[in-house]
Amino acid sequence: MTLTRLRGFQDLMGAAARSVGYIEDRARAIARRYAINEIRIPLIERLDLYERSSGETSDVVEKQMYLVRRHAESDADSGEMALRPEGTPGVVRAYIEAGLDRSDPEQRLYYSGPMLRYERPQKGRYRQFHQFGVEMFGRADAAIDAELMLMLDDLRGDLGLQLEFQVNSLGCQNCRPAFREALLAWGREHYNELCEDCHQRLERNPLRILDCKNDVRLTESAPRTIDYLCEDCSRHFETVTTLLTAGSVAYVVNPRLVRGLDYYTRTTFEVTSNALGSQNTVAAGGRYDGLVEQLGGAAVAGTGFAIGVERLALALAAESIAPGSPDAVVIALGDKALPVAMNIAHDLRAAGFRIEVASPDRGLKAQLRRADRVKARFALILGDNELERGVVQLRRLGDGNQSEIPTGGIAAAIGEVRD
Ligand code: HAM
């Protein structure tokens, strides 16, 4: 028998691993700027936890759970266990278990790591994938919802991607029932046009009908959540969108945006990339104000998101962005130039740039080939002539444009530091 990896699982190496690692690094750096602290949660939890949070009728719990089989039953851990399909339930459990809901409810947390869902694999959809997630507790205000999207927009800008933000509000326990009724009535009226899955959804979880991929046109005539919001929910949603506009986030309101998980209230959002195929949602999230209480904690508000790291990596590749590549490759020509070139590299690294010094045993052409191969933005060329005059040749590798600049001006010339 040959041992191969399981279907839907990936070995990440080479450019893919570099890309995924880079995105996680950048997301961490940005989370730190937003004063968010790391939390590490287990890979395995009680199945119960997911049933009670993600929702028993959600696809994730109904069809996609990996259950864990033990070799021996131990008394302390009776009951079924599952591999985590998402991070939110585990983070909420940990938050309650540490007593933070009562002792110190306002918490800003991030996590990063693999999630497992038994889904039909395709490009951008895997059975094990990585999420980088943020959960904010104890903040019922709209500003924090907007801040989550501003943070995602910072990451988008940092990675140099074009992404679209879609936002919606699902209302709260006061206004949701009226919407649900309207949706049920609409569903009954259009029963014969609805697909088989939607017949089921109508009984068990009518909101999910809006998510139907089989007949998008039909659902366009369905009631819209934002038309049923109570006054508080309307005001909340308006503040979110005002703050997004003020923060120059490119968003659209999508009144059909319901999410596949049951815990959401009020703000929901998805971030999509036009460069990807059908699996084009690279991050998603929203508010879940009742969840902490539902899992046995105090009545504390919650809101958050998770990034699909592999999907962001695919978006980078589709837009020919090579993350983690050097800002510059330093090329020294001759023994005298080498120590100075090494010093220049050292100073630029200290300033935060990613710098490779090419092998000085090779000629200019071979060193330039190396710079191309590693997709550096610039080559810095230093020979005897430049050395005497205190300058370097700065070649922009994208278009071959070359100019002479003083050694002291290199950092300014190669641009912004991406720490
Ligand atoms: P989700 O929409 O289920 O939300 O997943 C978030 C993101 O994870 C998706 O937008 C997608 O990029 C990525 N993702 C999901 N499934 C797969 C898959 N099979 N293969 C590759 N990538 C995938 C949540 O998980 C919520 N916990 C987000 C959240 C946090 N809401 C509030 N706080």
Side-chain angles (χ1 to χ4, degrees):
M1 184 184 77
T2 35
L3 294 172
T4 56
R5 67 197 149 83
L6 298 169
R7 202 164 108 79
F9 287 73
Q10 301 191 90
D11 300 311
L12 288 174
M13 54 179 98
R18 206 157 48 236
S19 214
V20 160
Y22 180 76
I23 293 163
E24 287 169 347
D25 282 354
R26 300 309 309 145
R28 262 204 179 83
I30 292 171
R32 274 196 292 270
R33 281 191 228 146
Y34 278 75
I36 303 173
N37 299 308
E38 183 166 11
I39 176 169
R40 298 197 184 206
I41 49 164
L43 268 171
I44 302 180
E45 298 270 2
R46 294 170 207 282
L47 176 62
D48 251 14
L49 172 68
Y50 300 113
E51 288 174 343
R52 287 171 53 191
S53 44
S54 317
E56 267 177 288
T57 61
S58 66
D59 283 352
V60 167
V61 168
E62 205 166 40
K63 304 180 193 153
Q64 300 171 355
M65 298 301 287
Y66 276 96
L67 301 180
V68 177
R69 197 170 69 195
R70 277 163 301 206
H71 283 289
E73 201 64 48
S74 87
D75 292 338
D77 278 327
S78 50
E80 281 187 289
M81 302 184 297
L83 298 181
R84 64 181 185 198
E86 57 154 335
T88 310
V91 173
V92 174
R93 181 210 40 75
Y95 170 83
I96 299 169
E97 201 163 341
L100 292 168
D101 55 328
R102 294 195 159 80
S103 64
D104 194 6
E106 198 173 325
Q107 295 287 331
R108 305 159 75 88
L109 304 169
Y110 79 81
Y111 53 91
S112 176
M115 305 292 160
L116 291 108
R117 297 183 191 178
Y118 186 76
E119 293 200 75
R120 195 169 46 76
Q122 66 178 94
K123 189 171 180 200
R125 186 160 73 195
Y126 313 103
R127 290 182 172 169
Q128 175 171 315
F129 56 97
H130 292 78
Q131 281 189 345
F132 182 96
V134 169
E135 312 293 351
M136 303 283 202
F137 295 99
R139 290 280 304 266
D141 57 281
I144 197 74
D145 293 348
E147 204 171 286
L148 289 170
M149 285 179 263
L150 288 169
M151 181 183 167
L152 282 169
D153 195 51
D154 284 355
L155 181 64
R156 180 204 60 71
D158 187 288
L159 297 175
L161 280 173
Q162 309 273 352
L163 298 173
E164 186 179 89
F165 288 69
Q166 301 188 19
V167 240
N168 192 22
S169 174
L170 298 183
C172 63
Q173 57 191 35
N174 297 328
C175 49
R176 181 95 58 92
F179 173 71
R180 211 183 122 97
E181 277 312 307
L183 192 60
L184 275 174
W186 175 89
R188 290 193 190 111
E189 200 179 311
H190 293 84
Y191 193 83
N192 294 334
E193 297 154 74
L194 294 174
C195 70
E196 207 131 295
D197 281 349
C198 282
H199 289 162
Q200 298 255 331
R201 289 180 185 132
L202 197 61
E203 298 306 317
R204 309 180 61 193
N205 195 347
L207 232 67
R208 295 293 313 282
I209 292 177
L210 298 179
D211 217 11
C212 180
K213 304 285 182 284
N214 289 332
D215 194 346
V216 179
R217 282 236 313 280
L218 176 65
T219 51
E220 272 169 18
S221 71
R224 306 169 350 143
T225 53
I226 44 174
D227 296 330
Y228 288 80
L229 299 181
C230 62
E231 216 180 298
D232 283 351
C233 286
S234 279
R235 202 172 324 112
H236 188 103
F237 190 54
E238 205 183 307
T239 309
V240 171
T241 52
T242 304
L243 290 173
L244 291 181
T245 306
S248 308
V249 177
Y251 73 92
V252 293
V253 173
N254 175 358
R256 321 251 159 251
L257 184 72
V258 290
R259 306 262 306 115
L261 304 159
D262 278 359
Y263 43 66
Y264 291 108
T265 53
R266 291 196 166 167
T267 318
T268 51
F269 54 91
E270 291 190 353
V271 186
T272 55
S273 161
N274 282 332
L276 299 178
S278 63
Q279 303 304 310
N280 65 350
T281 307
V282 296
R287 179 164 282 286
Y288 48 86
D289 285 345
L291 186 58
V292 176
E293 201 175 9
Q294 197 177 308
L295 293 180
V300 179
T303 181
F305 67 73
I307 296 164
V309 179
E310 284 84 354
R311 288 194 193 168
L312 260 191
L314 286 173
L316 285 176
E319 297 201 20
S320 304
I321 301 169
S325 56
D327 292 306
V329 166
V330 177
I331 296 175
L333 303 172
D335 291 345
K336 271 202 259 154
L338 184 59
V340 180
M342 301 274 279
N343 278 338
I344 289 173
H346 185 264
D347 291 348
L348 289 171
R349 287 171 183 145
F353 292 103
R354 284 190 295 273
I355 305 294
E356 175 176 323
V357 179
S359 166
D361 289 351
R362 300 190 187 126
L364 173 62
K365 258 201 182 143
Q367 295 197 49
L368 278 172
R369 266 203 303 276
R370 170 70 191 166
D372 267 332
R373 189 172 159 67
V374 295
K375 299 197 163 55
R377 287 194 295 133
F378 292 98
L380 294 170
I381 307 161
L382 185 71
D384 288 348
N385 182 306
E386 285 79 15
L387 196 62
E388 265 171 35
R389 293 183 296 120
V391 297
V392 297
Q393 301 296 333
L394 177 73
R395 184 195 281 249
R396 198 162 58 207
L397 292 162
D399 56 10
N401 199 315
Q402 190 164 315
S403 56
E404 190 170 284
I405 51 164
T407 315
I410 300 173
I414 64 178
E416 240 179 277
V417 178
R418 293 171 291 169
D419 56 349

